[in-house]
């Protein structure tokens, strides 16, 4: 099973062969390839394995992040996924 994570584009770098963006994932900032998604600074994107796979509207992104937050309350440091 694959998991795609929503994040907000903070900055875009067009100086490289592939269009890259700095994306905020709840305070964790990562460089993500946005070459194949029509997105701008401030947009929310769905990301899998370092690649943007879709642009999300704000409401959908925030609802997904709220779901992740609710799920996190059921986890403990000893939980493991196999």
């Amino acid at each position: 099973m694959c998991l795609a994570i929503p994040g907000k584009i903070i900055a875009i770098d067009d100086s490289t062969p592939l269009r890259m963006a700095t994306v905020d994932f709840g305070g964790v900032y990562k460089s993500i390839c946005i070459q194949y998604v029509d997105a701008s600074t401030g947009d929310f994107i769905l990301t899998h394995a370092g690649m943007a796979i879709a642009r999300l509207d704000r409401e959908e992104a925030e609802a997904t992040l709220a779901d992740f937050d609710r799920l996190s309350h059921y986890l403990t440091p000893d939980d493991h996924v196999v």
Side-chain angles (χ1 to χ4, degrees), residues 22-70:
T22 301
V23 179
D24 178 5
F25 297 98
V28 175
Y29 296 86
K30 294 289 186 178
S31 182
I32 302 296
C33 178
I34 60 168
Q35 180 71 28
Y36 306 106
V37 174
D38 182 24
S40 303
T41 301
D43 285 345
F44 284 86
I45 57 171
L46 199 55
T47 304
H48 174 70
M51 299 282 297
I53 58 175
R55 186 167 41 104
L56 300 174
D57 63 41
R58 175 180 294 278
E59 294 79 22
E60 186 177 8
E62 289 174 350
T64 301
L65 292 169
D67 287 342
F68 285 156
D69 185 55
R70 279 192 292 278

